[in-house]
Amino acid sequence: SIYSGHSSQKSIIGHGRTPKAPDFTLDCPSWNKALTCPKNYPPNHKPTTNANRSLNLTCPDYFHWIHQDLRPWKETGITRDMMEKARVAANFRLVILNGKVYVEKYRKSLQSRDLFTLWGIVQLLRWYPGRLPDLELLFNCDDRPVIRSRDYRRPNSGPPPLFKYCSDGWSLDIVFPDWSFWGWAETNIRPWKNVLEEIKAGNKRSKWKDRVPLAYWRGNPRVAPTRGDLLRCNVTDKFDWNARLYVQDWIKESREGYKQSNLGDQCTHRYKIYVEGWAWSVSEKYILACDSPTLLIMPRYYDFFLRGMVPLQHYWPIKSNSKCKSIKFAVEWGNNHTAEAQAIGEASSRFIQEDLKMEYVYDYMFHLLSEYAKLLKFKPTIPSNAFELCSESMVCPADGNWKRFMDESLVKVPTDAVPCTLPPPYEPSALGALFDKAGNSAKQVEMWENEYWHKVNKKQ
């Protein structure tokens, strides 16, 4: 079995509205008997009403970046030869044909990343059944991007399109929502919709001004040098950098029932710290969802939504080469400018709660895959080694957290809403203005910080 884990109590929570007679009832008895997906799966659904969302609702700003990520193929389109160049780096090939999902697996991912990524795509087709175009793509489930732009600078060099969870300014990987939106079974982190509710409740337990007036971080420092470097900023007998940093031992947490890992209980300090791991970190969205300002150690990597967030509006930028001094100043500034600091935390939390809810995650997937499909210069086909995926084939044989989280994130009813309206590509001038604004904000913080430390040094 590709599933593992300890059995636990099943909890089924519907996605969206839940009628008395769900449209998409799982048929595990038939699956267990025939081991084949239902022939009518997934059924088409033409929305008749749009009670939940406006027909003219424009997607959040970070959807602009879909065009930017697909820009390398705008003029040439994507040929099969281009795509096959990425085969060596792929964990799996995904085919959507006539509203059904097929997968050809090449190598196992770390933990269950591939499983829950595929689960998310299957749920997308339950959310918008029959509305996705035919397509074929390759997906890499590792941390760091692999398609280097420097290797494809020549005209018509044909970079291979490869989907993954993050990219950077030197790469062409196409970013896609990560597996944890549907649950991270190995760390007992529930699907995103549930976690959002838990963090929202946690935000209400204490007023921001009543929280510990320090910066907080908990995580695994062994995954990257930058995290080990962060630990130098912990309090000592000689100095206090205004940070309280804790090592997360996942093995110990597993043995003790994850008592110290409830994300809804971690909005207890006035400031939260985000630092990358081996690449971008899944922890990012959980930290930003807390209404305590995020001290974001300036990252190299980005996921699909971070580019829609603005420094000094949604987070406080922290210099990566001077973490301790930068964190100490950020906390001092926030504690002396409480209204401004609190506004940053609230803006961040509002962005995550409203612009990154699951409806928008599915809309981002829908638009990204639809725009990608328009670029294909070949007809998608089902490989001989591929097999059909459906909810039954994934959840029926599962157990433990794997089954529980798939139950919780199962789309039971297709939406009557249309996807939000995809905004157009950024004009070069608008894109330049965004970069200038972010750069100017970082320079402003650096100027304030330099003035602060100059005064401190004069007193010593």
Side-chain angles (χ1 to χ4, degrees):
S1 172
I2 60 173
Y3 306 97
S4 60
H6 303 290
S7 61
S8 58
Q9 184 177 3
K10 180 189 291 188
S11 173
I12 302 178
I13 298 177
H15 187 94
R17 59 183 177 85
T18 307
K20 294 181 180 179
D23 291 344
F24 291 161
T25 302
L26 287 180
D27 189 0
C28 284
S30 295
W31 162 258
N32 293 332
K33 182 178 180 180
L35 298 181
T36 57
C37 293
K39 291 182 179 180
N40 63 339
Y41 180 90
N44 291 326
H45 176 72
K46 294 182 179 180
T48 56
T49 63
N50 194 34
N52 296 324
R53 300 165 71 185
S54 168
L55 283 168
N56 298 316
L57 183 66
T58 301
C59 303
D61 282 347
Y62 64 86
F63 280 63
H64 280 286
W65 292 94
I66 289 175
H67 304 290
Q68 198 69 17
D69 288 349
L70 297 177
R71 189 176 181 181
W73 303 277
K74 181 180 179 181
E75 300 298 329
T76 63
I78 297 171
T79 66
R80 181 167 290 280
D81 286 343
M82 287 181 189
M83 190 183 69
E84 294 301 331
K85 292 177 185 177
R87 163 67 179 81
V88 66
N91 289 89
F92 61 81
R93 181 189 304 268
L94 178 86
V95 178
I96 297 178
L97 199 59
N98 298 322
K100 295 188 177 184
V101 183
Y102 304 87
V103 64
E104 181 182 34
K105 292 193 174 183
Y106 301 128
R107 58 187 177 91
K108 186 72 180 72
S109 74
L110 179 66
Q111 297 182 337
S112 54
R113 293 182 179 188
D114 53 355
L115 172 67
F116 277 91
T117 299
L118 289 166
W119 173 259
I121 294 169
V122 169
Q123 300 318 298
L124 171 65
L125 270 72
R126 292 170 69 95
W127 187 242
Y128 289 129
R131 295 160 75 176
L132 269 291
D134 293 347
L135 60 88
E136 187 173 341
L137 61 83
L138 292 166
F139 205 107
N140 176 282
C141 300
D142 297 333
D143 286 314
R144 291 183 173 179
V146 296
I147 309 300
R148 312 306 297 178
S149 54
R150 68 188 179 193
D151 296 331
Y152 302 96
R153 289 175 178 167
R154 291 178 289 111
N156 300 317
S157 56
L162 183 66
F163 285 71
K164 66 181 301 104
Y165 308 122
C166 75
S167 190
D168 62 19
W170 298 270
S171 305
L172 301 176
D173 302 66
I174 303 169
V175 291
F176 194 83
D178 71 81
W179 73 95
S180 66
F181 281 96
W182 298 272
W184 190 356
E186 290 82 3
T187 58
N188 200 45
I189 294 178
R190 298 174 70 195
W192 178 233
K193 184 179 181 181
N194 307 94
V195 172
L196 262 184
E197 291 301 319
E198 292 172 355
I199 295 177
K200 184 186 295 186
N203 282 335
K204 295 178 180 178
R205 290 192 194 114
S206 62
K207 295 181 179 179
W208 182 79
K209 290 183 179 181
D210 296 333
R211 296 176 187 174
V212 180
L214 300 168
Y216 171 92
W217 179 81
R218 178 183 292 273
N220 180 1
R222 293 179 290 276
V223 297
T226 186
R227 289 193 173 186
D229 184 54
L230 174 63
L231 288 185
R232 297 188 302 105
C233 307
N234 226 338
V235 63
T236 68
D237 294 337
K238 297 181 179 179
F239 202 78
D240 189 348
W241 294 106
N242 290 340
R244 298 298 182 265
L245 315 172
Y246 304 91
V247 175
Q248 179 80 332
D249 185 338
W250 284 112
I251 296 176
K252 180 181 178 183
E253 280 297 292
S254 177
R255 287 198 304 261
E256 297 179 358
Y258 300 97
K259 295 178 181 178
Q260 302 298 319
S261 303
N262 189 340
L263 295 168
D265 296 335
Q266 296 188 19
C267 297
T268 55
H269 292 63
R270 285 190 187 175
Y271 312 92
K272 301 288 292 290
I273 297 172
Y274 170 73
V275 59
E276 291 182 325
W278 182 242
W280 120 104
S281 172
V282 167
S283 66
E284 180 185 63
K285 58 183 175 291
Y286 307 120
I287 292 170
L288 288 163
C290 185
D291 61 1
S292 293
T294 296
L295 310 185
L296 193 141
I297 298 173
M298 295 310 292
R300 168 175 175 171
Y301 304 96
Y302 55 80
D303 57 18
F304 74 101
F305 69 86
L306 182 62
R307 292 171 289 180
M309 305 189 80
V310 181
L312 291 188
Q313 178 182 337
H314 298 110
Y315 62 85
W316 184 277
I318 297 293
K319 291 190 291 187
S320 59
N321 60 354
S322 183
K323 298 180 184 68
C324 302
K325 294 177 69 175
S326 197
I327 289 170
K328 183 173 179 63
F329 167 70
V331 173
E332 294 285 349
W333 184 93
N335 288 340
N336 286 293
H337 299 81
T338 54
E340 294 93 330
Q342 189 170 1
I344 293 173
E346 290 174 350
S348 169
S349 179
R350 186 165 54 250
F351 177 99
I352 299 297
Q353 295 282 350
E354 297 177 4
D355 288 356
L356 199 63
K357 56 188 176 182
M358 278 306 301
E359 289 87 346
Y360 281 134
V361 176
Y362 283 128
D363 279 4
Y364 190 93
M365 296 162 65
F366 176 89
H367 283 304
L368 175 60
L369 294 178
S370 298
E371 295 299 310
Y372 167 82
K374 294 176 184 177
L375 298 171
L376 297 183
K377 297 295 186 181
F378 60 91
K379 182 176 176 58
T381 57
I382 304 171
S384 58
N385 294 327
F387 54 91
E388 185 182 353
L389 276 185
C390 57
S391 295
E392 283 83 356
S393 69
M394 304 181 79
V395 70
C396 295
D399 63 7
N401 278 348
W402 288 256
K403 185 178 185 70
R404 182 163 65 96
F405 292 166
M406 283 190 276
D407 279 338
E408 289 184 2
S409 58
L410 176 70
V411 171
K412 294 182 178 180
V413 182
T415 180
D416 279 338
V418 297
C420 60
T421 302
L422 181 66
Y426 280 124
E427 294 292 337
S429 58
L431 197 58
L434 281 177
F435 291 137
D436 288 343
K437 183 177 181 180
N440 291 336
S441 295
K443 289 177 182 177
Q444 177 66 74
V445 171
E446 185 174 4
M447 183 182 72
W448 290 339
E449 187 176 324
N450 289 338
E451 290 176 353
Y452 169 82
W453 285 108
H454 179 72
K455 292 178 182 179
V456 169
N457 292 333
K458 283 186 66 176
K459 292 179 180 179
Q460 293 178 348

